[in-house]
Amino acid sequence: MIHHLIQQLIYQSAAAQLLDPQDEIYARNQLLSLFHLDEFQEVDIVEERDVNIPDLLEHLIDYACSHRIIDALFDEKEIFAGKIMNCVMARPSTVNQLFHDHYLKSPQLATDYFYELSKNSNYIQMERIRKNIEYKVSTDYGELDITINVSKPEKDPRNIELEQKVKSGDYPKCLLCIENEGYAGRIGHPARSNHRMIRVNLLGENWYLQFSPYVYYQEHCILLSEKHTDMKISPDTFLRLLTFVEQFPHYFLGSNADLPIVGGSILSHEHYQGGRYEFAMAKAEADWHFEMAGFHDVICSVVKWPMSVIRLRCKQIHPLVEAGAKILNEWQNYSDETLGIISRTGETLHNTITPIARKKGEVFELDLVLRNNRTNEEHPLGIFHPHTDVHHIKKENIGLIEVMGLAVLPARLKRELNEVENYLLGKSEEVADNHLDWARGLKDRYRETVNAVNVQSFIREEAGKKFLKCLEDASVFKRNEDGREGFQRFVRTFSHIVEVS
């Protein structure tokens, strides 16, 4: 059986263009060594061409466990799976050369090649990602994307116990560092033997392009700095984002904010996220316009969006960078105590920006989402953060992806929302405590309209409304009269308002 599986994997890897036919014997011998085999028996696989690589990996891992090559622990299986795939794919230098060859024909061909390679090599975990629950919810701001993230499997308790016992090393320094490329992994650090990165020259600096192993949208990519340095929003950030979308105009690229609470999960390594997807925020129209002195070529507007977004549009990059720099500087030092906006507490900065760049035709766009991470007794997790009434749906930070209109919700909701559905139908009284008040309110209000046919779509829509409330909570200038006037006061510090609808 093992010879059969090895030959099938080699065949499928060659068919998926992971493996050059000239390297098949070499790859086979590497796999034999991995499985502690000294010889190979030729097998005929003509009638078995439809077997996919993830299924083959499962069978190969089962063999490795049953023959005590590895222990049946989550991390060990992940590490071994990465090593298997590393045997049947090209080294980074070859991948980069092929990417460059494709890029000379078209940037899109280059990213298409790399995306397919990342999926076929099982670095992007497509079989697991398909388990996610994904749907859209219509709002006044367009269709928000909702994802209940169940793609990451739960770890064996033995694996968790080992993680607690094993001392974590400092190599690689973090999950994003270039040293992860080809790193086998260890207990508590993900397997990366089959990880490949594309070298990107960005303003004379070395940056690296990869895809997220658990993509949340089409071609969800990460661009990371060669240097392990803290996240920092600056005019250089805007220039890098816009230069990247100039090189890859079919992608957007954005950055998480650089402060706790409003920033992403990794603030210790400069990196950006992008991809080939148009979020609801990118489709949102202008709410009102303003002009900036000295920037007559830049079209400036405030976007109709639940968060506070300024959009700058221009055919040239540098005017956008300079205009963005001016707004960033003004915002970092701006306070409006009537709205709870305070720029600093002592030396601690509270105001920053989540920037997103894209190119539409000949025009570059730079969206600047205004953020503030201040806390108080009423809102210890953040004044401009999801408030307690929505924590039963989402308590985590509103990062770049959420800002643009995609909710990444915890796996627990798959079970918990089903319990709420049964509660509304009168099938069960079992509802998680954190959902109980919400479920009772829904049952009282919609008792006559919810039934077995529509209950799932109804609950999903209500959860989507909670995510919209999360975005509204995170807005520094609320979409009411006070917030609108406050936003205009801020804009007048650096511009002249020309159109208010």
Side-chain angles (χ1 to χ4, degrees):
M1 178 182 175
I2 184 61
H3 301 285
H4 218 108
L5 292 172
I6 288 174
Q7 189 57 40
Q8 284 178 317
L9 180 63
I10 289 172
Y11 178 89
Q12 292 296 338
S13 299
Q17 298 183 333
L18 290 174
L19 183 66
D20 190 294
Q22 297 180 82
D23 296 328
E24 288 186 13
I25 293 175
Y26 172 85
R28 177 203 294 168
N29 288 331
Q30 294 297 301
L31 288 167
L32 292 178
S33 175
L34 202 57
F35 283 93
H36 302 172
L37 301 170
D38 295 326
E39 59 183 13
F40 183 75
Q41 300 172 8
E42 294 286 349
V43 293
D44 183 10
I45 61 164
V46 174
E47 297 181 0
E48 301 176 70
R49 296 182 179 183
D50 292 335
V51 178
N52 65 43
I53 288 174
D55 288 344
L56 287 172
L57 275 178
E58 280 196 30
H59 294 314
L60 288 164
I61 294 299
D62 288 344
Y63 175 92
C65 292
S66 63
H67 287 74
R68 298 177 182 252
I69 297 171
I70 61 170
D71 289 331
L73 294 174
F74 176 83
D75 280 1
E76 289 212 25
K77 291 193 280 188
E78 293 287 282
I79 289 168
F80 200 73
K83 289 179 177 179
I84 291 171
M85 292 311 303
N86 188 49
C87 292
V88 292
M89 63 186 299
R91 290 190 175 189
S93 58
T94 302
V95 172
N96 274 267
Q97 183 59 56
L98 290 171
F99 183 92
H100 177 72
D101 293 344
H102 286 296
Y103 186 88
L104 293 177
K105 300 175 185 177
S106 157
Q108 185 173 320
L109 282 177
T111 54
D112 284 350
Y113 155 73
F114 187 45
Y115 192 53
E116 289 304 310
L117 177 136
S118 299
K119 289 189 294 183
N120 291 331
S121 67
N122 207 50
Y123 178 73
I124 297 178
Q125 302 271 352
M126 291 305 298
E127 291 295 308
R128 295 176 185 173
I129 291 164
R130 291 188 184 99
K131 297 177 183 178
N132 287 343
I133 298 170
E134 299 177 350
Y135 62 96
K136 294 179 180 292
V137 173
S138 295
T139 72
D140 291 340
Y141 306 98
E143 288 190 323
L144 300 181
D145 293 292
I146 310 295
T147 294
I148 298 177
N149 181 25
V150 297
S151 57
K152 294 184 181 180
E154 294 185 11
K155 291 187 177 184
D156 187 300
R158 294 176 299 159
N159 206 107
I160 298 171
E161 185 178 349
L162 270 176
E163 285 185 26
Q164 294 171 343
K165 291 180 179 179
V166 174
K167 183 180 179 181
S168 60
D170 58 0
Y171 180 90
K173 291 185 179 70
C174 76
L175 297 176
L176 292 175
C177 284
I178 179 62
E179 288 80 13
N180 283 281
E181 187 175 45
Y183 185 67
R186 59 178 184 265
I187 298 297
H189 189 102
R192 291 292 182 261
S193 293
N194 56 337
H195 185 23
R196 301 293 185 266
M197 298 185 189
I198 299 300
R199 280 64 180 159
V200 178
N201 184 301
L202 212 57
L203 305 173
E205 300 174 339
N206 294 326
W207 288 72
Y208 297 86
L209 179 68
Q210 66 175 67
F211 290 106
S212 170
Y214 291 93
V215 292
Y216 291 129
Y217 51 86
Q218 185 177 348
E219 299 178 46
H220 176 186
C221 69
I222 299 169
L223 186 72
L224 58 101
S225 172
E226 182 178 49
K227 302 173 184 176
H228 182 76
T229 55
D230 291 347
M231 293 281 290
K232 179 66 176 175
I233 300 299
S234 70
D236 287 341
T237 307
F238 306 153
L239 183 56
R240 291 191 198 107
L241 298 179
L242 290 161
T243 301
F244 178 85
V245 298
E246 182 179 38
Q247 294 180 24
F248 298 92
H250 58 300
Y251 273 16
F252 78 89
L253 192 70
S255 174
N256 271 307
D258 54 352
L259 297 180
I261 296 177
V262 296
S265 57
I266 300 178
L267 296 181
S268 61
H269 195 123
E270 189 97 59
H271 71 284
Y272 311 129
Q273 294 184 77
R276 193 177 172 190
Y277 187 73
E278 189 175 35
F279 290 89
M281 193 180 85
K283 302 175 187 177
E285 298 177 351
D287 201 5
W288 45 276
H289 288 81
F290 59 90
E291 290 180 349
M292 295 180 65
F295 298 97
H296 62 276
D297 290 333
V298 179
I299 299 173
C300 311
S301 63
V302 166
V303 181
K304 183 183 177 184
W305 190 246
M307 295 187 70
S308 305
V309 185
I310 291 174
R311 177 167 294 162
L312 307 176
R313 305 182 79 242
C314 186
K315 289 186 177 181
Q316 290 81 38
I317 288 177
H318 287 285
L320 287 183
V321 173
E322 292 172 10
K326 184 175 179 61
I327 294 171
L328 173 64
N329 182 64
E330 291 289 342
W331 177 243
Q332 286 177 327
N333 297 286
Y334 185 79
S335 294
D336 187 337
E337 295 190 21
T338 64
L339 299 177
I341 301 169
I342 298 175
S343 64
R344 297 172 189 272
T345 302
E347 296 298 315
T348 302
L349 182 68
H350 294 307
N351 285 355
T352 188
I353 280 176
T354 300
I356 303 106
R358 64 184 76 87
K359 191 177 184 187
K360 293 186 175 180
E362 297 299 314
V363 177
F364 292 95
E365 284 188 354
L366 182 64
D367 283 355
L368 307 174
V369 188
L370 307 181
R371 314 298 304 274
N372 178 287
N373 77 342
R374 198 166 69 85
T375 63
N376 61 14
E377 289 186 10
E378 183 182 0
H379 303 294
L381 297 183
I383 298 170
F384 303 102
H385 176 86
H387 292 173
T388 53
D389 62 318
V390 296
H391 284 179
H392 65 107
I393 297 296
K394 185 170 178 64
K395 189 177 182 179
E396 301 78 14
N397 292 3
I398 299 300
L400 172 68
I401 294 172
E402 287 85 2
V403 161
M404 296 183 292
L406 191 158
V408 181
L409 303 181
R412 62 178 172 80
L413 288 177
K414 180 180 180 180
R415 170 182 52 83
E416 292 174 1
L417 294 185
N418 186 58
E419 291 175 353
V420 176
E421 291 172 17
N422 290 331
Y423 177 82
L424 262 62
L425 295 175
K427 291 183 177 180
S428 172
E429 293 296 315
E430 184 179 347
V431 177
D433 289 344
N434 60 334
H435 294 300
L436 191 55
D437 289 343
W438 179 55
R440 286 171 174 167
L442 293 175
K443 192 170 187 176
D444 289 343
R445 280 179 286 153
Y446 302 106
R447 187 186 304 273
E448 304 300 325
T449 56
V450 174
N451 55 54
V453 175
N454 66 17
V455 66
Q456 184 182 75
S457 59
F458 172 78
I459 291 299
R460 287 184 176 184
E461 183 176 349
E462 290 299 315
K465 290 177 182 177
K466 288 285 186 174
F467 173 60
L468 174 58
K469 174 64 164 49
C470 290
L471 298 183
E472 291 171 341
D473 287 345
S475 179
V476 292
F477 296 111
K478 308 304 182 188
R479 290 191 61 81
N480 54 33
E481 186 175 348
D482 288 343
R484 187 181 182 88
E485 290 177 357
F487 209 156
Q488 290 173 9
R489 284 196 299 272
F490 168 63
V491 169
R492 286 193 183 99
T493 63
F494 58 85
S495 71
H496 171 65
I497 297 174
V498 294
E499 178 195 332
V500 177
S501 58

